[in-house]
Amino acid sequence: MSTIPEPLEVGARVAELLATGRRVSTYKLAALSALLQHCLEHPTAPDAPLRVPIGDLADRVVDLYWPQVRTFSGVGVLRQNEQSGRSLPDAVRELRADADAAGLTTPAQLRAADPDRWARHRRAVAQTLAQQPLFALQRTGTSAPGTPFLYDDTWLHKKITVAELDAHGWAVELHPGVATALARVAGLLQPVLQQWWVADVQRMNAAELDAPDLHGFLFGAARTAVARLAPALTDLQAGRCFYCGGPLRAGTHVDHVLPWSRVAIDGVVNLVVADARCNLAKSATLPAVEHVTRALARDDTDLRAVAEPLRWPLERERVTGAAAGLYGTSPAGTPLWRAPGVFDLLHPGGAARFVA
């Protein structure tokens, strides 16, 4: 690309692509959601390109499908592909069965507990991403090629081999400025992608599916999984709410400091315990910079004592990168939650303390 793209222009072109034509699976939505998350977690200079490992996108796609391959009440496992044959959700369902057999509940746990098994599945998912959504993402559904405004896709095709992927380093490179543009519009695009995802799943399944219930099933945080960390986190925090410092009583919540709806990271570095009042008031709002700074300042030795008994990962690098991305791409004046009814305003350079 000859000029640095404006974020809203990139967002509009992505939305136009996805709105054009009929999708036969949710793969494009998954790939784009993963790409948005990667750009948030890997902030770069506004005019810089960004090399995106397809394996990293595979990790994020598995994270997205992980809660979706459970049985949906009254329907069973939801269909997400109109074509026959093995699907991406099928591969994720096998991974989830492996995790269940090992007593693990999240993909992050499985990645940490059995990296060799994860690497084998990751490679297969990455090849599928290269063959299908990454190859087709910038195309309109017609036989004519699209304009590769995000990354060069001329080397991708539906039957790409492992040898060809090896030759290209299993990565796509975003054009200069695209990564920053996608990070800036991620908060606008993610809800739209989720709405399309819900509509596609409704269309691909014969049963009547209530949209609000379906949205919560597909994209809600796995509260029951992270709740297992509550006792150890409570001990680490000396029985006090991370945000207000008050004593924790009944109804203690495990909270994602960086909201799950913005960056779906379950690592212990992103988890604290809070009282119900603070947790519900904070909701999906970005917290005050000082809250994130305190969460990141916790000692890894203490956090490992919380994580290791449950074979839970820390994910410090991801959380730090996501903090830098979220606050660095949010405009000055963005409200940041400090306490119930109390908000700060993000000032220019407010993310400078987060070193990705």
Side-chain angles (χ1 to χ4, degrees), residues 66-235:
W66 191 270
Q68 302 183 8
V69 298
R70 309 181 332 264
T71 299
F72 186 70
S73 178
V75 178
V77 176
L78 295 169
R79 189 177 183 187
Q80 301 213 35
N81 185 5
E82 293 181 353
Q83 298 173 327
S84 59
R86 178 178 167 80
S87 69
L88 275 176
D90 289 336
V92 176
R93 190 157 49 247
E94 291 177 9
L95 268 175
R96 182 152 186 159
D98 291 344
D100 289 344
L104 307 172
T105 55
T106 73
Q109 279 182 295
L110 185 59
R111 280 196 288 270
D114 195 343
D116 291 339
R117 183 190 299 269
W118 185 270
R120 290 194 297 272
H121 284 270
R122 182 190 206 234
R123 189 177 179 88
V125 172
Q127 185 173 6
T128 300
L129 291 179
Q131 291 171 335
Q132 298 185 40
L134 291 178
F135 164 65
L137 187 61
Q138 298 174 103
R139 298 165 188 267
T140 62
T142 66
S143 58
T147 302
F149 67 99
L150 297 174
Y151 52 86
D152 175 22
D153 63 5
T154 56
W155 59 278
L156 296 167
H157 56 87
K158 292 181 180 179
K159 296 183 179 180
I160 195 165
T161 64
V162 168
E164 289 173 296
L165 286 164
D166 285 341
H168 285 86
W170 289 78
V172 295
E173 184 167 294
L174 299 183
H175 295 307
V178 167
T180 296
L182 289 176
R184 288 190 181 279
V185 298
L188 298 174
L189 276 180
Q190 285 287 20
V192 175
L193 296 180
Q194 291 180 5
Q195 289 176 3
W196 278 332
W197 201 319
V198 168
D200 285 353
V201 172
Q202 286 179 309
R203 174 173 52 80
M204 293 177 195
N205 292 269
E208 291 291 329
L209 302 176
D210 181 71
D213 288 347
L214 183 57
H215 187 280
F217 175 83
L218 294 176
F219 304 111
R223 300 294 182 189
T224 55
V226 297
R228 299 168 61 196
L229 294 161
L233 285 170
T234 300
D235 289 343

Side-chain angles (χ1 to χ4, degrees), residues 174-293:
L174 299 183
H175 295 307
V178 167
T180 296
L182 289 176
R184 288 190 181 279
V185 298
L188 298 174
L189 276 180
Q190 285 287 20
V192 175
L193 296 180
Q194 291 180 5
Q195 289 176 3
W196 278 332
W197 201 319
V198 168
D200 285 353
V201 172
Q202 286 179 309
R203 174 173 52 80
M204 293 177 195
N205 292 269
E208 291 291 329
L209 302 176
D210 181 71
D213 288 347
L214 183 57
H215 187 280
F217 175 83
L218 294 176
F219 304 111
R223 300 294 182 189
T224 55
V226 297
R228 299 168 61 196
L229 294 161
L233 285 170
T234 300
D235 289 343
L236 179 63
Q237 294 172 207
R240 294 192 170 274
C241 173
F242 179 81
Y243 298 112
C244 70
L248 290 167
R249 300 184 177 88
T252 296
H253 293 205
V254 175
D255 182 57
H256 293 81
V257 180
L258 300 178
W260 173 270
S261 61
R262 302 291 296 273
V263 284
I265 302 176
D266 266 338
V268 171
V269 172
N270 194 38
L271 299 175
V272 298
V273 282
D275 62 33
R277 179 169 178 263
C278 285
N279 186 57
L280 295 175
K282 173 177 171 279
S283 187
T285 310
L286 284 179
V289 171
E290 286 74 11
H291 289 321
V292 183
T293 301

